[in-house]
Amino acid sequence: MAEAMNVLYPIGDKLYVNLTNRCSCDCTFCLRNAADGAHGSDTLWLVREPSFEEVMAAFDDYAMEDVTEVVFCGYGEPTCAFDRLVAVARAVKERWGKPVRVNTNGQGSLICGRDIAPELEGVVDALSISLNTPDAARYLELTRSRFGEEAFPAMLDFARRARTYVPDVTLTTVATTLSPEEEQACQRLCDELGVRYRIRPWVD
């Protein structure tokens, strides 16, 4: 396995932040099980987790005036490095006024051992939470979360809580992986939670 410190990587006009390789899940479909890198990066595996200062220094290599959004999404679950995530997101908004999105498995409150939703207020503009399936048992089969049966209801509760503090909260599934009936069940679930539902491409 190759190792590098690819802390930031661009996709189009968006800049992605790779804070950690830790994750509470071992998803059967995870991209990192098949490749060391993605989106033009040879590897997104980190030698070690970057400090706040190292992350901020990495932004110097990019023309921030051309960046339309900063997205926390890499080869790990961003909320596993939650305090650094919040610090970097706050600095990004203060220095460049860029919108911030976090792509997450929604298990951050379990990971951190506290309700993290209020701490996102004014720091994160959008959350994209992987729903994967409307069925709790199937969710556990797919994600193999270390939190077991707690993971699915905690993810839904996080989405419900986060909508109070984050302007745009979206639950996502991947195109072609669910039946039309399952996608309709996902839409009903999102309607009940008061969040958006999005069917996204396999790589996003």
Side-chain angles (χ1 to χ4, degrees):
M1 180 188 300
E3 290 185 328
M5 287 293 282
N6 286 329
V7 177
L8 303 180
Y9 61 101
I11 302 178
D13 57 5
K14 297 175 174 57
L15 191 56
Y16 284 66
V17 185
N18 182 35
L19 276 187
T20 181
N21 292 155
R22 290 178 288 154
C23 190
S24 58
C25 295
D26 181 21
C27 295
T28 58
F29 52 83
C30 187
L31 180 63
R32 69 184 195 170
N33 291 333
D36 285 347
H39 308 296
S41 297
D42 291 337
T43 181
L44 291 173
W45 294 106
L46 298 164
V47 175
R48 56 180 170 75
E49 293 192 357
S51 66
F52 167 80
E53 291 77 14
E54 288 172 322
V55 177
M56 296 311 299
F59 281 100
D60 292 340
D61 293 333
Y62 296 89
M64 291 302 293
E65 64 272 16
D66 298 329
V67 173
T68 61
E69 185 180 38
V70 173
V71 184
F72 288 83
C73 175
Y75 261 23
E77 165 54 39
T79 59
C80 285
F82 184 70
D83 291 342
R84 247 174 308 132
L85 184 161
V86 169
V88 172
R90 182 176 290 112
V92 164
K93 295 186 73 63
E94 288 176 351
R95 296 187 190 185
W96 299 293
K98 300 298 178 180
V100 170
R101 170 164 46 108
V102 178
N103 291 357
T104 176
N105 63 22
Q107 297 172 25
S109 292
L110 287 177
I111 291 166
C112 296
R114 66 182 188 275
D115 177 16
I116 64 170
E119 299 173 57
L120 302 174
E121 187 171 18
V123 178
V124 173
D125 302 285
L127 282 172
S128 180
I129 303 171
S130 297
L131 174 59
N132 299 309
T133 172
D135 181 77
R138 181 62 177 149
Y139 178 86
L140 184 55
E141 289 177 5
L142 289 171
T143 65
R144 299 183 292 199
S145 171
R146 65 182 172 89
F147 296 109
E149 293 180 355
E150 288 184 86
F152 186 75
M155 176 268 296
L156 296 181
D157 185 60
F158 174 69
R160 183 186 296 107
R161 295 274 301 145
R163 70 181 185 181
T164 302
Y165 306 101
V166 177
D168 180 0
V169 178
T170 304
L171 294 184
T172 70
T173 60
V174 177
T176 75
T177 63
L178 298 178
S179 68
E181 292 76 17
E182 288 172 316
E183 290 175 347
Q184 290 169 10
C186 289
Q187 182 65 68
R188 289 194 297 271
L189 185 58
C190 289
D191 291 343
E192 292 171 5
L193 294 172
V195 301
R196 292 198 305 134
Y197 174 50
R198 177 174 176 246
I199 302 170
R200 62 181 177 83
W202 180 257
V203 177
D204 184 22

